[in-house]
Amino acid sequence: MFSRLFELDPALLSLFHYSTNCDSKQDCLSSPEFLDHVTKVMLVIDAAVNHLDDLHSLEDFLLNLGRKHQAVGVSTQSFTVVGESLLYMLQCSLGQAYTAPLRQAWLNMYSIVVGVMSRGWSKNGDDKAD
Ligand code: HEM
């Protein structure tokens, strides 16, 4: 999934330059910080799936997460690239079970998550401009 991320947008590599060397796609994919972030993303997706009937309960967490990403220089368009990678991974792993309604259901859920993150992102930018 995250290999796909860098195929879709190679410029994202520069956002994952932590303390260790991360000069190539392969360096980055195997760096501990990057793998740690992959786990963090999947925990958020897992929480959203487990709160599908109650996504409002994640609102404050997601607003704050959006703010944090604004602070580290991640654009809201990059959230969309993560979503495309997620759908690609589902398509590859589910094969024929990856139907149009299933794709739409994942897209709806992910759009709500990044919609709230993006609101937090914008709010952080506004606060800095004040
Ligand atoms: C390409 C898009 C993204 C980039 C470049 C990015 C980058 C980062 C960076 C640099 C950090 C801070 C260092 C770290 O904790 O690893 C971070 C934290 C985090 N990211 Fe992302 N991120 C992206 C998308 C996402 C998405 C879509 C989610 C969730 C759906 C997410 C979930 C998290 C979480 C849970 C943290 C930890 C926040 C905390 O410490 O409280 N990220 N991200």
Side-chain angles (χ1 to χ4, degrees), residues 62-77:
L62 293 173
L63 285 171
N64 196 32
L65 192 56
R67 269 185 220 118
K68 285 183 178 171
H69 284 80
Q70 197 275 345
V72 293
V74 179
S75 73
T76 52
Q77 287 94 319

Side-chain angles (χ1 to χ4, degrees), residues 8-25:
L8 290 172
D9 187 357
L12 288 176
L13 270 180
S14 63
L15 290 170
F16 289 105
H17 273 217
Y18 300 105
S19 49
T20 50
N21 281 343
C22 198
D23 295 330
S24 69
K25 179 177 146 185

Side-chain angles (χ1 to χ4, degrees), residues 2 5 12 15-16 18 33-34 36-37 40-45 61-62 64-65 68-69 72 74-75 78-83 110 113-114 117:
F2 284 88
L5 188 66
L12 288 176
L15 290 170
F16 289 105
Y18 300 105
E33 293 98 333
F34 181 76
D36 189 45
H37 184 267
K40 288 174 185 170
V41 173
M42 293 318 291
L43 284 174
V44 176
I45 303 293
F61 171 79
L62 293 173
N64 196 32
L65 192 56
K68 285 183 178 171
H69 284 80
V72 293
V74 179
S75 73
S78 299
F79 298 155
T80 308
V81 186
V82 173
Y110 189 76
V113 168
V114 294
M117 284 176 71

Side-chain angles (χ1 to χ4, degrees), residues 87-106:
L87 291 176
Y88 178 76
M89 180 269 285
L90 288 168
Q91 181 179 6
C92 293
S93 46
L94 294 177
Q96 288 195 340
Y98 184 78
T99 58
L102 184 124
R103 178 182 188 281
Q104 194 58 52
W106 276 95

Side-chain angles (χ1 to χ4, degrees), residues 34-66:
F34 181 76
L35 293 173
D36 189 45
H37 184 267
V38 170
T39 306
K40 288 174 185 170
V41 173
M42 293 318 291
L43 284 174
V44 176
I45 303 293
D46 188 51
V49 169
N50 284 313
H51 289 82
L52 274 186
D53 295 329
D54 181 25
L55 282 173
H56 280 297
S57 64
L58 299 178
E59 179 144 337
D60 287 348
F61 171 79
L62 293 173
L63 285 171
N64 196 32
L65 192 56

